[in-house]
Amino acid sequence: MSAQDYRALVERYYHSVDQNDLPTLFSLFDDQIIYKRPGYPVLAGKEQFMEFYKGTRIIESGAHTLMHILVDGDHVCVQGSFQGVLKDGRVIETEFADIFVIHDGKIVERHTYFDGIQV
């Protein structure tokens, strides 16, 4: 995969999340995905990852704005902002950074960081 392919894969991830397109979202990740996110235990494997997005995730809806995407080998780093609504009705806005590791066309690792709010 080229750097452009890596970038497109990550952009497709955010689009899938924002559109609540879970079949596409899940198709982008390896079965052995490792996901680290503040305030949650490490999610290991696609089953835990899917459960997070189907039920545990406290976000009802929202939109990501991607400001910077850097590709270095099999790593993609994203800086952006998120505006959305939580399941309890609160409106949130935060900045974030994500680090993705991609192998054989699938995301095998993701680590999320938030600025000042846990979502």
Side-chain angles (χ1 to χ4, degrees):
M1 291 179 69
S2 69
Q4 186 174 358
D5 294 332
Y6 283 96
R7 180 185 175 104
L9 177 66
V10 168
E11 288 174 334
R12 189 169 176 205
Y13 159 75
Y14 290 106
H15 179 77
S16 298
V17 170
D18 292 350
Q19 298 301 311
N20 198 31
D21 179 357
L22 296 182
T24 298
L25 170 70
F26 298 146
S27 75
L28 304 175
F29 289 84
D30 186 81
D31 289 343
Q32 303 304 313
I33 179 64
I34 299 294
Y35 182 29
K36 298 177 183 178
R37 182 182 184 97
Y40 297 90
V42 174
L43 302 175
K46 195 178 258 185
E47 186 174 316
Q48 288 184 0
F49 182 76
M50 290 169 60
E51 179 56 36
F52 174 79
Y53 273 95
K54 289 180 178 179
T56 307
R57 187 172 185 248
I58 65 171
I59 298 170
E60 179 67 30
S61 63
H64 294 84
T65 300
L66 307 181
M67 294 180 281
H68 301 284
I69 301 175
L70 305 172
V71 179
D72 183 18
D74 62 358
H75 285 67
V76 180
C77 298
V78 178
Q79 179 186 15
S81 63
F82 177 80
Q83 293 180 332
V85 178
L86 302 182
K87 289 179 180 174
D88 68 7
R90 286 183 289 154
V91 174
I92 62 161
E93 184 174 336
T94 189
E95 292 184 0
F96 69 90
D98 272 327
I99 300 170
F100 295 87
V101 180
I102 300 169
H103 183 69
D104 288 337
K106 299 282 186 176
I107 301 167
V108 296
E109 193 172 322
R110 179 177 174 216
H111 197 153
T112 298
Y113 300 89
F114 292 100
D115 185 19
I117 185 170
Q118 179 179 309
V119 291

